[in-house]
Amino acid sequence: MSETLIKIRNLHFSRDHLKIFDGVNMDIRAGSITAVMGPSGTGKTTLLKLIGGQLTPDEGEVIVDGQKVHQLNRAELYQLRKKMGMLFQSGALLTDLNVFDNIAFPLREHTNLSPSLIRSMVLLKLQAVGLSGAHQLMPSELSGGMARRVALARALALDPMMIMYDEPFTGQDPISLGVLVKLIQDTNQALGLTSILVSHDVEETMSIADDVIILSDGKVVVEGSREEIERSGSAYVRQFVHGEADGPVPFHYPGEAIDELLLKAAK
Amino acid sequence: MFKSIELSVGVFVGIGLAALFMLAMQASNLASLNNDGSYEITARFDNIGGLKVRSAVKVSGVKVGEVSAIDYDTEMFEAVVTMQVDDQYQQFPRDTIASIFTSGLLGEQYVSLEPGGDEKLLGNQSEIRHTQSAMVLEQLIGQFIFNQGSDKKDDNSPF
Amino acid sequence: MKTLSRILTRLGRGTIFLARTLAAIPQLFVRFGLVTKQLHSVGVHTLIIIIVAGLFVGMVLALQLHYTLTTFGAEDTLGLLVDLALVRELGPVVAALLFAGRAGSALTAEIGLMKATEQLSGLEMMAVDPIERIIAPRFFAGFLALPLLAAIFSAVGILGGYMVGVDLLGVDAGAFWSQIQDKVDFYDDVLNGIIKSIVFGFIVSWIAVFEGYDCVPTSEGVARATTRTVVNSSLAVLGMDFVLTAIMFN
């Protein structure tokens, strides 16, 4: 087993009195692709923001590369973030800059490289995501899949040690979906990155994940390698992996039963 | 494209500064203020009427300075008016008379200097000895009515 | 009680936000290009409306005042009254209200949309502080632009008053300017007007960037924040104008 890059211990987090995490523990191996899955609203994006230090937990700790994220001061946190890439669901490209400048942005902010060096680095990153021809386009001219690829190139610009993907497959046509799956796998292998993949697109996620963690009701319900998960007989896994409507995660939002509500309405 | 942004911002700032310059030089008294060369003289009045700080100081109707301070002397029970007179007008004799007049019927009040015949001149920080207080309209009317009354009495005198 | 604590919380958040923004301003002098870009969108785009509005306000003032002044035979003071009204009051206030409507709302909408599309979070994850990179240049550009716009408003307004008063209604041009140059005091009138517009620029820019930064990151939230910017900064400008006038010209 390779070493652990991210350790999460006893994580508690709530927002507006709504408990999102209730004692979550997880270990993410360096160099692996770890998929975090779970039904909508289980705080998968929140988890990434907690790892990135954008949110502070109520209790518990997140340790990335040996550093306790929420005990760092601002400068140390920013130093750590330079080693973390994050790919947002929408891409989060800066709308007033073109593709080239978006990818050059972190390099210009954080390094003193010469313009010609920045130019060749940006073009190389764009080449890696297959969009070197699009460097003059504005973000508004890109399709959703292209925007995500550009955002991936930007996240890779500073050569991070890890990268977090927030729902990278949502709303993609089959072709760009295939491209994204391939890109995630290739970058992980070629650059030795640790990847955390938050998604509920089971099929695509399961096809590339080394490890899988399934969250439900603020807790880790299942974790293990992909093979273990596929073999597992857990009801959650069955429901989630096969997309059954009802099961341990109920079809009905918790509340009064329908007959009582109808009875009340009739009165 | 970036150059044109810089150009238009430059034009904007240029127009803004030109507007500020116009407000300062054309649309206010800044151009006519010269605080660099002036000397101070004081005068005491029984009553200054509506005189204010910055009121004009005039000689023969020409503005030569302005009132810089108005104080009240609690020992002499008099108003003390301090004036700044431009350096170019230095030839005022010692026996110059300072009066407070009103420009027009309802206009503002100003200090009028009337040069006398003394050979010695007023210097910096000197005081004008001869002053004439402001005319207060109510007093004038009162005096007028009083005089009318006494005139009539004289006319009807049996003697 | 709950409303009060919510308002106070927001005020506290706004003040902390302002402190962080102000702390980021010194770095802008190293990278003034960021401010130049914002001066373009905040200042240049507001210039036309300011010039047109200033011209009309000056012309209307001249028409109205001339009507009243002729009954006293005091048309010569027309320039003086137009100048004082613009420089002391209308220039700073009307320019600030137009600025809030044109530039302030645009700032809020832009920042709010950047928040809604995760651009601000994205910057944070790239180890770039959005307050330094996005908020501070916009705040500073607004703060610099409004005094210039207010001066332009007043200057154009005086020219408008001159066009109507002298060219149309036959007031003597010499009397128009001499009354102004005699009675409008640079320090008491013009400088106080400029100080007013500096204060308004600060307030409007602060409200605009804060509402954007603090908005609920949905399309409805951005729309609400934009409305709040216009309403709150207009009220703040008028309220602050009363306070400043009471202090300056009592």
Side-chain angles (χ1 to χ4, degrees), chain A residues 3 23 28 49 69 76 109 126 153 156 168 173 185 234 244 264:
Chain A
E3 60 177 313
I28 290 168
K49 289 194 168 175
V69 173
E76 291 166 340
E109 290 288 323
L126 268 171
L156 294 171
D173 65 77
Q185 196 166 26
S234 156
E244 290 165 5
K264 262 191 209 162

Side-chain angles (χ1 to χ4, degrees), chain A residues 6-131:
Chain A
I6 300 169
K7 272 187 208 156
I8 296 176
R9 290 288 172 267
N10 191 31
L11 188 73
H12 287 259
F13 183 79
S14 56
R15 179 186 281 154
D16 300 334
H17 308 292
L18 190 72
K19 254 207 162 334
I20 294 177
F21 294 124
D22 191 12
V24 166
N25 294 300
M26 57 174 80
D27 293 288
I28 290 168
R29 290 184 295 127
S32 68
I33 298 181
T34 302
V36 178
M37 299 199 284
S40 309
T42 42
K44 300 187 294 293
T45 305
T46 310
L47 181 71
L48 297 187
K49 289 194 168 175
L50 283 163
I51 295 174
Q54 285 188 297
L55 295 173
T56 309
D58 301 335
E59 212 182 299
E61 56 191 21
V62 177
I63 303 165
V64 177
D65 199 22
Q67 290 175 292
K68 292 180 180 173
V69 173
H70 298 98
Q71 288 172 13
L72 300 176
N73 65 27
R74 256 169 64 85
E76 291 166 340
L77 180 62
Y78 274 26
Q79 212 53 44
L80 180 63
R81 278 184 187 164
K82 288 182 198 169
K83 295 190 277 178
M84 297 178 170
M86 179 149 175
L87 187 73
F88 286 85
Q89 195 174 348
S90 58
L93 297 174
L94 295 167
T95 38
D96 58 340
L97 299 179
N98 68 17
V99 167
F100 182 90
D101 289 331
N102 257 294
I103 298 169
F105 184 85
L107 295 169
R108 288 179 180 149
E109 290 288 323
H110 295 308
T111 67
N112 290 317
L113 301 176
S114 68
S116 65
L117 193 54
I118 286 183
R119 189 175 163 78
S120 38
M121 283 181 76
V122 170
L123 291 176
L124 279 175
K125 302 287 175 193
L126 268 171
Q127 177 69 31
V129 297
L131 288 175

Side-chain angles (χ1 to χ4, degrees), chain B residues 16-34:
Chain B
L17 293 178
L20 280 175
F21 185 76
M22 180 201 150
L23 290 183
M25 305 313 285
Q26 176 78 3
S28 80
N29 61 356
L30 187 63
S32 54
L33 288 180
N34 48 352

Side-chain angles (χ1 to χ4, degrees), chain B:
Chain B
M1 185 194 129
F2 194 61
K3 283 280 172 256
S4 81
I5 285 183
E6 284 179 350
L7 178 67
S8 57
V9 170
V11 170
F12 163 61
V13 174
I15 296 175
L17 293 178
L20 280 175
F21 185 76
M22 180 201 150
L23 290 183
M25 305 313 285
Q26 176 78 3
S28 80
N29 61 356
L30 187 63
S32 54
L33 288 180
N34 48 352
N35 292 333
D36 36 36
S38 68
Y39 65 100
E40 191 175 289
I41 49 178
T42 55
R44 290 164 177 274
F45 295 93
D46 289 334
N47 190 336
I48 60 165
L51 197 72
K52 293 189 203 72
V53 173
R54 312 201 89 98
S55 291
V57 177
K58 295 182 180 179
V59 180
S60 310
V62 177
K63 188 179 174 192
V64 296
E66 61 181 34
V67 173
S68 61
I70 296 173
D71 300 299
Y72 185 66
D73 183 341
T74 47
E75 281 174 20
M76 306 287 287
F77 304 114
E78 281 174 333
V80 182
V81 173
T82 311
M83 293 164 271
Q84 298 289 336
V85 180
D86 288 357
D87 269 342
Q88 51 178 316
Y89 309 108
Q90 281 202 335
Q91 312 293 322
F92 293 116
R94 285 265 294 274
D95 57 350
T96 293
I97 301 169
S99 324
I100 297 177
F101 288 150
T102 307
S103 49
L105 191 57
L106 298 168
E108 61 196 35
Q109 290 183 302
Y110 63 95
V111 179
S112 171
L113 301 180
E114 286 163 56
D118 201 320
E119 302 211 335
K120 287 180 185 157
L121 300 177
L122 286 169
N124 191 18
Q125 309 264 315
S126 58
E127 187 182 324
I128 295 177
R129 299 278 168 204
H130 311 284
T131 63
Q132 186 184 342
S133 287
M135 299 283 193
V136 179
L137 201 58
E138 292 91 318
Q139 279 180 0
L140 279 178
I141 294 169
Q143 270 175 5
F144 179 73
I145 293 170
F146 182 75
N147 288 342
Q148 287 284 316
S150 55
D151 284 352
K152 272 196 185 126
K153 215 178 255 170
D154 286 348
D155 289 346
N156 297 340
S157 160
F159 304 107

Side-chain angles (χ1 to χ4, degrees), chain C residues 206-221:
Chain C
W206 175 25
I207 292 179
V209 293
F210 177 64
E211 289 289 0
Y213 188 77
D214 199 51
C215 76
V216 181
T218 60
S219 31
E220 195 205 359

Side-chain angles (χ1 to χ4, degrees), chain A residues 74-213:
Chain A
R74 256 169 64 85
E76 291 166 340
L77 180 62
Y78 274 26
Q79 212 53 44
L80 180 63
R81 278 184 187 164
K82 288 182 198 169
K83 295 190 277 178
M84 297 178 170
M86 179 149 175
L87 187 73
F88 286 85
Q89 195 174 348
S90 58
L93 297 174
L94 295 167
T95 38
D96 58 340
L97 299 179
N98 68 17
V99 167
F100 182 90
D101 289 331
N102 257 294
I103 298 169
F105 184 85
L107 295 169
R108 288 179 180 149
E109 290 288 323
H110 295 308
T111 67
N112 290 317
L113 301 176
S114 68
S116 65
L117 193 54
I118 286 183
R119 189 175 163 78
S120 38
M121 283 181 76
V122 170
L123 291 176
L124 279 175
K125 302 287 175 193
L126 268 171
Q127 177 69 31
V129 297
L131 288 175
S132 50
H135 66 97
Q136 286 299 346
L137 296 181
M138 293 305 283
S140 55
E141 298 169 299
L142 300 175
S143 71
M146 284 163 84
R148 276 176 219 185
R149 282 151 73 186
V150 173
L152 178 61
R154 185 178 68 174
L156 294 171
L158 287 174
D159 291 323
M161 61 180 181
M162 57 176 282
I163 196 156
M164 297 185 274
Y165 299 91
D166 186 5
E167 307 275 9
F169 306 127
T170 312
Q172 295 300 309
D173 65 77
I175 298 172
S176 53
L177 207 123
V179 170
L180 283 167
V181 169
K182 182 177 175 302
L183 276 175
I184 291 173
Q185 196 166 26
D186 287 356
T187 48
N188 187 73
Q189 280 166 1
L191 304 173
L193 291 171
T194 307
S195 308
I196 305 172
L197 181 55
V198 153
S199 176
H200 44 227
D201 291 273
V202 179
E203 203 180 313
E204 289 75 24
T205 311
M206 291 295 273
S207 70
I208 52 171
D210 300 315
D211 296 331
V212 178
I213 296 169

